Amino acid sequence: MATVSPLAKYKLVFLGDQSVGKTSIITRFMYDKFDTTYQATIGIDFLSKTMYLEDRTIRLQLWDTAGQERFRSLIPSYIRDSSVAVVVYDVSNRQSFLNTTKWIEEVRTERGSDVIIVLVGNKTDLVEKRQVSIEEGDAKSREFGVMFIETSAKAGFNIKPLFRKIAAALPGMETLSSTRQEDMVDVNLKPAVNSSQSEQQGGGCAC
Ligand SMILES: Nc1nc2c(ncn2[C@@H]2O[C@H](COP(=O)(O)OP(=O)(O)OP(=O)(O)O)[C@@H](O)[C@H]2O)c(=O)[nH]1
Ligand SMILES: [Mg+2]
């Protein structure tokens, strides 16, 4: 008999300076595409994706924030609402790396220790322009007690591993009893398969 289990949902907020590659990482993960033309995120974008893991199926709700200063005031409420914060910097832009400190501190201020934080050094394909070493990124992640990975949205490097790492760190099904009933509208009738490819939905909102 097939068991009907509720689909666990997790909110992820993407943070980091303008142009570090937040949208590009999400686009690579969702559609396996990359666009070299920069289109700044306006306000906040929302996308969601189901991930089929070996032992369970989860739904990730991705909040893609705008790095531009003028949208800064929108961000705290999304941080408050998320169980995961993905703090991105550009390895070819030292200032964006330095600024991750304030992003991490802001997440800690809003959520305390009740949050998973991942520091992501993006654009590793820009080998000649690199300003931040992997060792520096790793040292910072240890200093702040957060996870760390380097990626390239352009090359498609470490994008799936980033999301698998996040999924592995998420609380398991045993915590679902605390999930509110109205959040349990989706059901999963299929056995879990070992693939992250899945149904997708996306949409923009300047909310
Ligand atoms: N070389 C290289 N370029 C990248 C990479 N990721 C993103 N870019 C480029 O960097 C620029 C900014 O990328 P976005 O993904 O729009 O950056 P963002 O962080 O979402 O920017 P905001 O929405 O303004 O906060 C674009 O021109 C991308 O093509 C990468 O891994 N390597
Ligand atoms: Mg963006």
Side-chain angles (χ1 to χ4, degrees):
M1 193 181 83
T3 38
V4 180
S5 55
L7 187 56
K9 291 179 184 173
Y10 300 95
K11 292 181 183 168
L12 281 65
V13 64
F14 284 72
L15 305 168
D17 284 7
Q18 181 176 357
S19 202
V20 294
K22 299 178 293 297
T23 302
S24 300
I25 289 170
I26 293 171
T27 304
R28 174 63 80 186
F29 177 58
M30 295 286 297
Y31 313 112
D32 201 15
K33 285 192 179 137
F34 177 77
D35 190 353
T36 47
T37 326
Y38 172 45
Q39 272 191 293
T41 301
I42 304 297
I44 312 264
D45 276 344
F46 170 76
L47 299 99
S48 90
K49 174 158 173 137
T50 303
M51 269 184 97
Y52 296 93
L53 305 167
E54 268 171 49
D55 56 341
R56 58 193 165 133
T57 300
I58 58 173
R59 190 148 181 94
L60 302 182
Q61 303 185 325
L62 312 179
W63 295 100
D64 181 15
T65 69
Q68 279 180 27
E69 202 67 44
R70 63 192 169 119
F71 299 114
R72 217 36 73 87
S73 62
L74 295 173
I75 297 176
S77 67
Y78 290 91
I79 296 178
R80 268 197 294 280
D81 213 27
S82 299
S83 47
V84 180
V86 183
V87 178
V88 185
Y89 65 93
D90 171 353
V91 299
S92 71
N93 176 344
R94 175 158 291 275
Q95 192 57 49
S96 74
F97 175 66
L98 299 175
N99 289 344
T100 58
T101 303
K102 80 177 167 41
W103 287 112
I104 294 170
E105 282 171 350
E106 185 156 353
V107 174
R108 291 276 184 232
T109 303
E110 297 290 348
R111 302 268 323 186
S113 56
D114 177 31
V115 63
I116 293 163
I117 302 177
V118 194
L119 182 65
V120 179
N122 187 43
K123 307 198 187 181
T124 58
D125 58 285
L126 298 177
V127 178
E128 304 291 315
K129 293 185 178 164
R130 190 188 266 269
Q131 293 181 354
V132 184
S133 71
I134 189 166
E135 289 78 16
E136 285 175 286
D138 187 52
K140 186 162 194 171
S141 73
R142 285 168 198 279
E143 185 190 340
F144 286 89
V146 302
M147 297 193 296
F148 172 65
I149 193 168
E150 281 196 343
T151 60
S152 167
K154 184 174 184 179
F157 170 68
N158 261 354
I159 301 298
K160 273 189 188 174
L162 161 64
F163 286 90
R164 292 199 161 268
K165 206 175 161 84
I166 291 169
L170 288 168
M173 303 301 271
E174 67 280 0
T175 61
L176 269 180
S177 53
S178 62
T179 308
R180 296 199 320 273
Q181 280 301 319
E182 61 265 36
D183 283 337
M184 295 189 185
V185 287
D186 289 326
V187 290
N188 171 35
L189 294 169
K190 290 187 211 133
V193 290
N194 187 16
S195 161
S196 65
Q197 290 309 309
S198 55
E199 68 179 280
Q200 300 170 343
Q201 89 184 33
C205 74
C207 42

